[in-house]
Amino acid sequence: MILVPTLADIEQQAVSPGERAFARLLRDVDTDPDAVAFYSVDLRSHSYKQQAEADFVILWRGIVIVVEVKGGGVRKHLGVWYTVDRRGDWHKLATSPMEQARSAAYALKDILKEQGIGWFAHEAVVVTPDIVAPPEAVGWLPTHWLARDDMTSTSIATVLDAVASEAQKAPSKQKLARMDDLRVRLFGEFTRMPVIDAQRGAVIEEQNRATAGQARVLAALARNQRVLVYGGAGTGKSLVLVEAAKQEAEQGRSVLVTFKSPALAGYFAPHLESLPVDVVPFDDLCTAGQYDVVLVDEAQDMMTADAMDRIDSVLVGGRTGGRWRMFLDPNNQAHVDGHYDEDVAALVAEEGIAVDLDLNVRNTRAIVHIVQEYLGADVGDPGIVHGEKVHWHTTSSRVTGADGEDVARQLVGGGVSPDGIWIIDPASDRPPTKSVDGFVFTSPRFAKGLEAEHVVVCGLPNSLDSAGAAAFYVAVTRARVSLHILVSKDDRRRLQKLIQQKMAAR
């Protein structure tokens, strides 16, 4: 069964040994190929308290099953429920474990009802892995309370089937939830996506609920063999790829993550190094073996017959019969590194399903506006990130790297750390270097797929043809916090001409 998050994350997050043990058993349940178990999420509404924690929410044969796990002993004394820890201490519960599960189930139903998901069958189950038998009480079916003897993957699958068979039937004249929509909404409610500092591989902010687009993609990846994920810069393609790679490894598959841009190795390695996932740059695939699943980032860089043949050679079942995920931005980043053959792209598109990431989770509204105005490029709806305006700096002569350093020093004077600043030359393709002041000098080719807190763009590409426009696009979409663009007077005129061309083409 697919676990969200992965078992490794649950093992790290869970405080309860009972929850960890139950997660391990769920992972080995395989009788429903579409089943997903979501772990420990605070529900936003609850009939008794501000938040309720659903230990596990399992989507099983179209039924939502909410599970409350109580490790240790569970007793009812004089009408009051208690848990008993390993030291024999009793801890009073506000209500019975079954009522906790039912309350969480109704809270989840209310949340999804608010989102217009429609009616769906739901059941509540209690798991007490450390007691021999459920307490004697009325108010629940025997199948809905699992004890020690049920703690095998086979028994859990049998119980889940029994619970699903007894689920309530849909009332008449009710709008029913579509199962695909229900899966996506559950992925959205329960998936947490961290905000990552791509330079240092560190988590900048606490994990946030997945966007609707990210949830839709993760749900599609869980159910389909071959998937193309389309998204502009800043929509979170690489981050979703990391989560997808974790899920694939969780299912016991051999996993390869590959990419053209050499700098992406530094992004993926810290997040996947503890997992049985191979991170191999595309140019090194000649030494790779075969894998059950291949995930390709920035796939627009490898959309040629030769490149697809190489991917075919490392994939069990080949490209037409194997399991792959390709993440790409073909409209805006297809000319910065590698090659993009539209005929090859059309052929690959016929081999898998397509899903879109359409919400920008990196760039500020001002940056998105700049990209749309000057390049006519779609980088998603700027609905999440709010920040300062784009800063334009005009020089009397050609822009140089020294001009970029001057702006970077002003940022440092305002409290910005030097290692949070990139200076990008859109006309260059050189690998990154670091100045004596600690600023990173880089090019679109090596910045693609990554991001920085503050970006200083030095001038324009030599030509604003398709390759030059793509390089400028990459440069201005790397910033998370502030973007400074240095242009000469001649550059200004060239940009105005570019806007006129875009307007005339509409």
Side-chain angles (χ1 to χ4, degrees):
M1 184 184 302
I2 295 170
L3 296 182
V4 178
T6 62
L7 180 60
D9 289 337
I10 294 175
E11 296 271 18
Q12 184 177 15
Q13 297 172 13
V15 175
S16 164
E19 292 174 6
R20 291 196 293 268
F22 188 62
R24 287 192 288 270
L25 293 173
L26 285 177
R27 194 268 309 270
D28 294 333
V29 172
D30 59 5
T31 51
D32 179 2
D34 291 333
V36 188
F38 303 92
Y39 171 69
S40 192
V41 174
D42 291 331
L43 301 181
R44 296 195 303 272
S45 63
H46 191 265
S47 56
Y48 301 122
K49 55 186 177 179
Q50 192 86 29
Q51 286 187 321
E53 184 178 86
D55 290 332
F56 290 88
V57 175
I58 302 173
L59 184 59
W60 183 267
R61 304 199 190 284
I63 310 298
V64 174
I65 302 174
V66 176
V67 180
E68 177 70 22
V69 180
K70 292 294 184 189
V74 177
R75 296 182 182 178
K76 185 180 182 182
H77 180 67
L78 298 178
V80 179
W81 286 88
Y82 298 87
T83 58
V84 185
D85 63 26
R86 294 178 179 179
R87 295 174 297 189
D89 295 331
W90 289 38
H91 304 276
K92 183 178 178 180
L93 296 173
T95 185
S96 74
M98 184 59 73
E99 282 303 312
Q100 287 181 276
R102 287 172 176 166
S103 181
Y106 280 111
L108 175 61
K109 187 172 183 178
D110 288 344
I111 290 169
L112 296 180
K113 183 178 179 181
E114 290 173 2
Q115 299 176 7
I117 196 64
W119 186 93
F120 58 90
H122 68 278
E123 293 291 324
V125 168
V126 173
V127 175
T128 49
D130 299 320
I131 65 174
V132 175
E136 293 185 6
V138 295
W140 58 78
L141 295 169
T143 50
H144 288 53
W145 193 306
L146 287 71
R148 185 186 301 167
D149 290 344
D150 299 308
M151 291 299 102
T152 68
S153 295
T154 300
S155 293
I156 289 172
T158 300
V159 168
L160 292 176
D161 276 338
V163 170
S165 69
E166 295 167 354
Q168 61 192 122
K169 304 303 180 184
S172 60
K173 298 181 180 180
Q174 281 271 11
K175 174 190 174 184
L176 303 183
R178 293 180 64 252
M179 284 301 104
D180 285 348
D181 291 342
L182 184 58
R183 283 175 64 89
V184 169
R185 294 302 176 93
L186 290 173
F187 268 94
E189 283 296 321
F190 298 141
T191 303
R192 295 296 180 265
M193 306 291 283
V195 178
I196 301 294
D197 181 339
Q199 296 182 82
R200 296 180 288 275
V203 176
I204 298 173
E205 299 174 12
E206 294 298 321
Q207 292 187 337
N208 299 312
R209 183 175 286 109
T211 68
Q214 290 169 337
R216 185 172 60 251
V217 169
L218 289 168
L221 292 172
R223 299 190 71 185
N224 294 280
Q225 279 283 91
R226 294 171 290 280
V227 185
L228 290 118
V229 181
Y230 295 95
T235 53
K237 296 188 299 297
S238 297
L239 188 57
V240 173
L241 187 152
V242 168
E243 295 301 311
K246 290 180 180 179
Q247 293 290 351
E248 294 294 337
E250 179 94 333
Q251 299 301 305
R253 300 184 181 101
S254 56
V255 182
L256 168 69
V257 173
T258 190
F259 40 83
K260 182 74 172 178
S261 179
L264 282 173
Y267 174 87
F268 289 120
H271 305 299
L272 298 172
E273 61 187 358
S274 62
L275 300 171
V277 175
D278 286 349
V279 178
V280 183
F282 181 75
D283 289 341
D284 296 335
L285 284 188
C286 56
T287 60
Q290 281 205 319
Y291 296 85
D292 296 326
V293 58
V294 175
L295 297 96
V296 184
D297 200 22
E298 304 291 350
Q300 73 276 355
D301 298 340
M302 292 158 273
M303 206 56 68
T304 65
D306 288 344
M308 288 298 110
D309 286 346
R310 189 180 302 183
I311 290 174
D312 187 85
S313 69
V314 299
L315 181 60
V316 173
R319 205 184 66 250
T320 58
R323 187 176 180 87
W324 52 256
R325 287 88 176 78
M326 298 190 192
F327 296 73
L328 65 162
D329 179 7
N331 298 319
N332 306 309
Q333 299 188 69
H335 303 283
V336 177
D337 189 21
H339 300 282
Y340 184 84
D341 186 318
E342 292 187 0
D343 291 336
V344 173
L347 179 64
V348 173
E350 294 177 356
E351 298 168 351
I353 70 161
V355 287
D356 297 303
L357 284 168
D358 52 13
L359 187 65
N360 194 295
V361 296
R362 174 200 300 155
N363 303 132
T364 65
R365 288 180 176 273
I367 294 172
V368 172
H369 175 72
I370 288 294
V371 173
Q372 293 171 340
E373 180 180 11
Y374 286 96
L375 300 174
D378 183 7
V379 288
D381 174 29
I384 288 184
V385 186
H386 302 271
E388 58 189 77
K389 65 180 183 180
V390 174
H391 303 272
W392 291 89
H393 308 262
T394 303
T395 62
S396 56
S397 58
R398 182 177 177 275
V399 179
T400 66
D403 296 322
E405 283 193 285
D406 287 341
V407 173
R409 291 190 189 98
Q410 294 173 24
L411 289 172
V412 172
V416 174
S417 173
D419 62 4
I421 303 172
W422 280 4
I423 300 173
I424 302 179
D425 180 358
S428 169
D429 63 356
R430 293 188 297 272
T433 59
K434 185 167 283 191
S435 72
V436 294
D437 291 327
F439 308 133
V440 172
F441 278 84
T442 189
S443 63
R445 180 189 176 201
F446 286 87
K448 187 158 60 67
L450 303 176
E451 59 188 38
E453 292 286 293
H454 306 271
V455 170
V456 180
V457 177
C458 290
L460 299 181
N462 296 325
S463 171
L464 285 174
D465 56 9
S466 58
F472 187 61
Y473 168 88
V474 169
V476 299
T477 54
R478 299 307 97 193
R480 293 192 66 250
V481 177
S482 74
L483 172 65
H484 295 254
I485 304 177
L486 282 71
V487 290
S488 66
K489 292 180 179 179
D490 181 60
D491 290 333
R492 281 280 195 183
R493 287 191 290 269
R494 293 169 63 201
L495 283 175
Q496 290 299 322
K497 184 177 180 180
L498 183 63
I499 291 178
Q500 294 169 1
Q501 292 172 346
K502 295 295 181 185
M503 293 293 291
R506 290 174 185 173

